[in-house]
Amino acid sequence: MRPTSVPADGRVDALLADGTAVRLRPITPADASELVRFHEGLSPESQRFRFLAMHPHLTPAEIELFTHVDGHDRLALVATSGGELVGVARCDRVGDAADAEVAVTVADRFQGRGVGTLLLEHLADRARHAGIKRFVAVVAPDNSKMLRVFHDAGFDSETRLDEGIVDVRLPLATTAGAVEAMARREHRAEVSSLARVLRPRGVAVVGASAQSGKVGHEVLRALLERGFTGDVHAVNRDGGVVLGLRATPDLRDVKGPVDLVVVAVPAEEVIEVVDAAGEIGAAGVVVLSAGFAETGPDGAQRERQMLDVARSWGMRIVGPNCLGIINNDPGVRLHATFAGIHPPPGQIGFYTQSGAVGIEALAAAESGGLGLSSFVSVGNKADVSGNDLLQWWEDDAATRVVGLYLESFGNPIKFRRLARRLSARKPIVALKAGRSPAGSRAAASHTAAVASNDRMVDALFGDTGVIRVPSFEELFDTLGLLSTQPLPAGPRVAVVTNSGGAGILAADALADAGLAVADIGRANPVDLRGDADATAFEQAVATLVDDDRVDALIVAFVPTALAVSGDVASALERAIGTTIEQPTKPVVGVFLAGSAVAAHDAPRIARIGTVERAAKALSRAWSYRQWRDVPRHVADRQPDSDGVSVATTSARLFDRSGPGWLAPVDCAALLAAGGVEYDLGEVVTSGAEAHEAAARLAVPVAVKAIAPGLLHKTDAGGVVLGAETPLEAARGYQQLVERLGPTMEAALVQPMAGPGEEVIIGAVRDPAFGVLVLFGAGGTRTELLADQAFRLAPLSADDAADMIAATRVHQVLAGWRGAAPLDVPQLRDLLVQVGQLVVDAPEIAELDLNPVLVGQHRLWVVDARIRLADPPTELDATRHLR
């Protein structure tokens, strides 16, 4: 049975529709008195809805029944907020069937906030793992709230009215509708949870020192100087006056609404402050203090305790050990960092896991005039993460482009879902630290050896449209371009310059970046010569902006005595303004020789330091445009792929064999369940058996050794090809015995495959990222050529086609030098099948089909290996907080 992400104690935290966090956990006998209080606090109507009759008090037998569950036939969850029980959901199996009667009850003051739907969602997940396939319920016809909960869950529910009672049936199979409904609820809840953090009515700074240079002092100064539109409160244990504000010694005594608490006190005092923040009804806490998980086990324990306290109050935590947050919305003007840097308002939303990188980002934005819509530094990322911010920026009208500095992924599977959705509307530019060389592992002919973590990241970003950059400099080049310019409609670029050398460098850079020098009917780059003034630039750019043969412009200017950067920048602004009201193509200004242009002098052009960097930024924008313009289809299951059959076969084989490489016969069985055609032949253990097998099979045959750890059969002399008769097959077996000795356990006798090109198809499961599919040149050339493409499964047909096209071997498959094209459509389908097979079988840790021979009209899986392992935890099965 596949494990869930539920901790051993069964406790998880999740968000309601209004963004409040609640705690879900199994009910225990210790909840008896709290359950009685909960029931007696219900309105008479809620009691009637639960029991279909007035029922003001629970009997001792009911209390005993309701608080004792076995996790198999009876399951029950409670939801708590601030330590108070606010909801209960339970199910009881109906006899020996896979049906269970379900009931959900929510405290009246929490109704309408999503408690019931959340409880039902989590109860259904645990019920599925207990073998329950359907919930049934009887509901009063006027209990519209409960009927709405069942409907909103997204299951394929059935209802019918029978003798004045509504019978409800909820199959628990995870449908596309249920997944979409959960995603909508998740999005609404996560955005709501950040609303009072990023748009607070009031902010309290705890640790607001009167001494300049202290963290609390500088945060308070930033809030006041930047004109935060809400109330600002200073909290200092000694009271007094800090920056003109009367400081309150205790957070609990602050008057007025406080949605956000910024904490700058020693680590050992933070938990008490977080508890006090919960008492006054704060929605979130930004913990600037260090001394948590970054310091070791004791700090990690302190961090867990802090988060536990915050969750008990339904609050979100930013940090700890972070720089702070900014929201430049003119209606908010929240600057709660100690960076001392104030970038202007703009359209870039920026997220960082590093405070130092955050300071660098703020400085780059300020000096380059690149406005930020919002900025969040998460530090240790105890709670609020990049995934939360992706949800926020999706709805934030002020954010046009998102910048990410990432060091790790908490839930890459969720990131994939959210980033793909956001990228369809707004570009995401990411700098991922911790790149490792692609060849860091020893080369071997199996997928896991080439699937490094960085390959996973590349596949993740490629799948989601995230623009990956290798350096901080290129991160802000790309952000600056995308936040100020339209996307290019094509790869054709015109270059205007007053330096022939700069023009040549630009042309080379465009070629290196995969862009084209536009054919404009005259020389391009357009060299205006060294004596060109601002008017010459204005006229040239105005002409090219209107030219349909040009998709983007690079203007490379070297200052001279005849023209200075500011004049040329103003000329470019006029050129754009005189041609079109709304820019339709990007214009990049490259001001060389140390010249600089202030942002307010050229707000309608992007400014990048070199022509090489400008070309790279335009190339990324064009690649993103291509990704965005291709419809993103969810991969469809292949008609001959049966997910239930695959899962059942995989679980049975794992139960029987345990972790490790499957025997050839079992490997073939699992591939067959997924619709993958693999002619295994026969397993033999002697020359005589090889003779008999060859007599039954169509000759010629191949004889292949089976031995522990034998990856490279050909290199080890473990293959005899083209045995034309049964006698030759028997002799082939004996040759293998002589070559490999006692290590050889058996051999395969297989019909020879037809002629074709050798490729490899593989898949490896990462516990965090999911299933990575590999395609490339196969056979003995796998390591030599390293000609490989990677994608995350499941794959659509378009994904598979893109993978094939991304390799050099694709040229051979398409028909190299007049040769007949090979069967690429079947190869594409096989890639899709393999990805779906590994998705459906959680026990598959690694799969290799190498080689696969691709012929003109069919293909052959020549060799196959599958390794099983303990199924990974499901990270994205239910809504829950980190």
Side-chain angles (χ1 to χ4, degrees), residues 200-220:
R201 295 167 298 171
V203 178
V205 179
V206 181
S209 172
Q211 182 179 349
S212 177
K214 295 291 186 180
V215 170
H217 181 95
E218 299 307 324
V219 172
L220 187 63

Side-chain angles (χ1 to χ4, degrees), residues 476-503:
F476 269 84
D477 286 345
T478 310
L479 288 173
L481 176 70
L482 293 172
S483 66
T484 61
Q485 304 298 301
L487 294 172
R492 303 166 300 173
V493 182
V495 179
V496 179
T497 182
N498 62 343
S499 164

